[in-house]
Amino acid sequence: MTILLAVLLGVFLVVLYRHFITPRRIGERFVASDYGLPPREQLDSRRPGPPPPAHRTEERQAVADAAWGGDWQSAERYVRAAGDDWDERWNRLELLQQVAREDDAWLDAWRVAEPRNCDAATLHASILVHRAWEIRGSGYAHEVRTSDMKRFRAMLPAAIEEARQAALLDPANPGPWVVMVTAARGAKYRRAQFKLLWEGLVARAPHHYEGHWQALQYWCAKWFGSDRRMMRFARQAVRKAPPGSPLAGIYLHALNELTERHAIGALAVMPMARSVLKQIAASFDRVAPDDESLPVLRHFLAHYMLRSMMYAPALEQFRLIGPWWGAQPWRENGNPVRAFETARGTAAKLSRTRPDPQPPVYKRGR
């Protein structure tokens, strides 16, 4: 027993040294260009990754401008053009939801003109859910005023019912089911009730990213699950992620949930966690480089690879991240630039690799 305790103490001291002492020393003498990484003066805090292509930005702005001008038909065509790429279709609905926050008269006109349009009905139901959450806020239940909580609870049943009606308009469309899964935890759905909604969603879109993210929230300990249930759900997402999908990134969100609630340190060092992180990295290699969800996920992946002492794989993620550091992991402390630089330096120095010292050239967005 004494030997075992000595071994455990030794492991703890190694982890402590690697996590807290070594990074500070490395951060003081790290030269990014020596490792093929962009130097500090090229770092861009405005975003986690490169800006979207100009044509995509122009298309989105044109749809928004048309909607605000009363042209709901452009919004309808924009969503319909996604076809049965359900992730993209949901992303387009989320954009229209932001447009409707400024002015939703066009949405009212769309619903009057096409009362049996599933996308219009889904969009309205989703807006009702988001309005309810805005009233509640993001705090824990005990932090929310009683009056706000009552309004929140009163708004959700109507939103869920509208989503149920939307589901009848297009039985193949998973959008209404995403809305219901999102609202379920706020509506205090029991696990058996939630399971029916989840089965309805995955029957239509088994790899829906937003649907999985919302389900992860339901299964976390602060709602109706536990750490164990949440991590099991997250590992399942990694296993079933199809080529080209960022779905494996759900596991990183689960780790972040644990970090926020427990300030985990050595958890990510476990061999099983390391194996999963390797799977996630391999999965991301098959995702389209212009997938806009990917940069944020790469920041999380690099962050947890460092916590797992996977320095060479973390360095590779930093190469792929490039100069953009506007992401959550580096904002946890008071000095995000120093946190990002220290993380890159730790990965580079402790990886014991010597990549080409010529950093790639990145085009900075406007």
Side-chain angles (χ1 to χ4, degrees):
M1 180 63 71
T2 303
I3 296 176
L4 177 60
L5 289 175
V7 171
L8 291 175
L9 179 60
V11 171
F12 173 76
L13 291 175
V14 169
V15 171
L16 181 66
Y17 181 82
R18 290 286 183 105
H19 277 293
F20 298 102
I21 300 175
T22 302
R24 291 179 182 175
R25 293 180 177 177
I26 287 174
E28 295 172 357
R29 59 179 185 271
F30 169 60
V31 180
S33 57
D34 289 348
Y35 296 89
L37 297 170
R40 182 167 183 164
E41 57 268 20
Q42 292 184 12
L43 298 184
D44 191 331
S45 65
R46 294 172 295 174
R47 53 179 63 89
H55 69 86
R56 193 177 298 171
T57 301
E58 292 168 0
E59 179 186 33
R60 292 168 178 170
Q61 188 62 55
V63 170
D65 291 340
W68 291 328
D71 177 16
W72 60 264
Q73 291 93 337
S74 294
E76 188 276 333
R77 288 192 298 269
Y78 178 66
V79 176
R80 179 161 43 86
D84 59 0
D85 182 342
W86 299 119
D87 278 327
E88 176 61 21
R89 199 165 183 128
W90 182 262
N91 290 339
R92 296 186 178 205
L93 282 178
E94 287 193 321
L95 171 67
L96 293 180
Q97 183 171 277
Q98 296 176 28
V99 173
R101 288 170 64 95
E102 299 290 331
D103 178 4
D104 61 358
W106 59 273
L107 177 57
D108 293 337
W110 183 8
R111 295 175 64 220
V112 170
E114 295 188 341
R116 297 193 60 78
N117 187 292
C118 178
D119 292 318
T122 300
L123 178 56
H124 188 253
S126 181
I127 289 173
L128 292 179
V129 173
H130 278 264
R131 285 175 179 168
W133 278 100
E134 286 174 354
I135 291 171
R136 183 197 182 281
S138 60
Y140 288 95
H142 70 274
E143 300 171 341
V144 181
R145 291 188 303 179
T146 302
S147 59
D148 289 341
M149 187 64 80
K150 287 182 177 179
R151 291 176 63 198
F152 170 68
R153 302 284 188 210
M155 292 175 69
L156 289 178
I160 293 173
E161 180 56 30
E162 185 152 338
R164 290 189 188 279
Q165 295 302 316
L168 299 176
L169 300 176
D170 184 0
N173 192 328
W177 296 88
V178 177
V179 176
M180 289 186 278
V181 165
T182 302
R185 64 184 186 275
K188 291 188 173 182
Y189 270 36
R190 298 186 301 276
R191 291 176 181 176
Q193 293 174 290
F194 180 81
K195 184 179 179 181
L196 292 176
L197 297 181
W198 179 246
E199 290 174 347
L201 171 57
V202 297
R204 293 160 176 81
H207 309 119
H208 200 287
Y209 186 89
E210 178 66 17
H212 276 77
W213 191 90
Q214 294 294 344
L216 183 79
Q217 295 300 304
Y218 181 90
W219 288 119
C220 74
K222 66 186 178 187
W223 288 101
F224 299 100
S226 63
D227 291 346
R228 183 175 180 180
R229 283 179 178 271
M230 178 183 69
M231 296 310 299
R232 183 173 61 194
F233 178 85
R235 287 192 294 271
Q236 290 172 350
V238 175
R239 286 195 295 269
K240 69 181 184 180
S245 169
L247 184 63
I250 293 296
Y251 183 85
L252 302 173
H253 287 295
L255 286 182
N256 187 56
E257 175 68 26
L258 290 180
T259 301
E260 291 183 345
R261 293 181 55 250
H262 300 301
I264 62 170
L267 175 64
V269 182
M270 299 297 290
M272 183 175 68
R274 288 179 173 177
S275 175
V276 175
L277 292 177
K278 289 179 182 178
Q279 294 177 53
I280 294 171
S283 180
F284 285 176
D285 287 343
R286 306 179 73 176
V287 178
D290 65 346
D291 188 304
E292 293 179 44
S293 65
L294 193 55
V296 169
L297 294 175
R298 285 204 186 280
H299 284 278
F300 278 119
L301 180 56
H303 176 63
Y304 287 111
M305 280 180 163
L306 280 179
R307 287 193 169 214
S308 300
M309 294 187 287
M310 300 169 63
Y311 301 115
L315 176 59
E316 178 59 27
Q317 294 305 312
F318 281 116
R319 288 186 188 143
L320 295 167
I321 288 170
W324 295 279
W325 59 269
Q328 180 183 341
W330 324 119
R331 292 173 175 157
E332 294 176 356
N333 298 317
N335 192 331
V337 177
R338 182 175 181 179
F340 184 67
E341 280 289 82
T342 299
R344 294 197 308 167
T346 302
K349 290 284 189 177
L350 298 185
S351 66
R352 298 184 180 180
T353 60
R354 192 72 177 182
D356 185 350
Q358 296 300 320
V361 177
Y362 298 92
K363 294 181 179 179
R364 295 168 65 87
R366 293 179 295 176

